[in-house]
Amino acid sequence: GSSRGGRGEAEAELLREWSSFEERCGNGGRARSLLARARAAAPRSAASLVASATLEWGSRRYSSAREMLWKATQRERRRLAKPDASPAGRRASLSRLLQLYSGWASLEARAWHGGVERALALLGEGAALLHEEQGEGREEQ
């Protein structure tokens, strides 16, 4: 239940911190393994996914990072689009989506060619979702 979710996210946060330390020490493989454990501990954690994508990006595995983020955004968009989603569930999905778009845009902004344009496009997608959700929220009130 929700207590597992809290413990899972706390465990994931600890694993992300440990991974960051390992990465700074030059242990990319160990960092990657810890982030995989973080994603398993809290599978819906946007922070763990963005951390994994950032590590991939730093290792010049750009397509892997993009694919990871694209799949996660699509998964959250599907959750957000479910007609039976509760308001709290929709808010949680929207929050994760905005974290994913923001993290992805930050990575793209570092790219040499077209990065800023891709980053702006991603931020635009996130802003459009937020605007759409706020509009639906007003209609429900």
Side-chain angles (χ1 to χ4, degrees), residues 29 104 108 110:
W104 191 355
E108 291 290 356
R110 301 177 194 174

Side-chain angles (χ1 to χ4, degrees), residues 11-31:
E11 181 182 348
E13 186 175 351
L14 179 66
L15 290 165
R16 286 192 305 270
E17 290 297 323
W18 185 4
S19 170
S20 180
F21 172 77
E22 293 290 350
E23 181 186 10
R24 285 192 306 273
C25 292
N27 302 325
R30 181 77 177 135

Side-chain angles (χ1 to χ4, degrees), residues 6 8 14 19 28 43 69 72 97 101:
L14 179 66
S19 170
L69 289 162
L97 260 170
Y101 278 123

